[in-house]
Amino acid sequence: MFAHPDDVEMMCAGTLSLLKNAGWDNHMATMTPGDKGSAVHTREEIASIRRLEAKTAAETTGASYYCLGLEDLFVFLQ
């Protein structure tokens, strides 16, 4: 699980692809939809765009995609 869409792809897409080829059942998950990732789009628009991109990337590596839907920039570790 990573914080934002595209974090998973940048950090471990190659590993996910190799695991899928080895027979693993892969899942990608993000805590936020990246809803504060644009100076052009509204929060809802960019969240929708980034969720679709993450879903497409997951399908490319043979994984499913899940988003917890937490608000971007408000995820804190305790």
Side-chain angles (χ1 to χ4, degrees):
M1 178 176 301
F2 286 82
H4 313 100
D6 73 28
D7 289 352
V8 181
E9 299 92 297
M10 291 186 333
M11 298 298 289
C12 60
T15 300
L16 287 173
S17 292
L18 290 171
L19 290 170
K20 183 64 176 181
N21 291 339
W24 288 62
D25 187 22
N26 293 331
H27 305 276
M28 293 170 50
T30 60
M31 291 183 269
T32 76
D35 58 309
K36 294 199 175 66
S38 176
V40 177
H41 299 287
T42 66
R43 286 181 54 211
E44 293 79 17
E45 290 170 340
I46 195 61
S48 178
I49 290 167
R50 295 192 72 196
R51 276 189 179 117
L52 179 58
E53 291 172 346
K55 182 179 183 288
T56 302
E59 290 170 351
T60 300
T61 63
S64 56
Y65 172 68
Y66 306 93
C67 179
L68 296 180
L70 302 174
E71 189 175 346
D72 203 4
L73 301 178
F74 286 92
V75 175
F76 300 97
L77 298 176
Q78 294 186 4

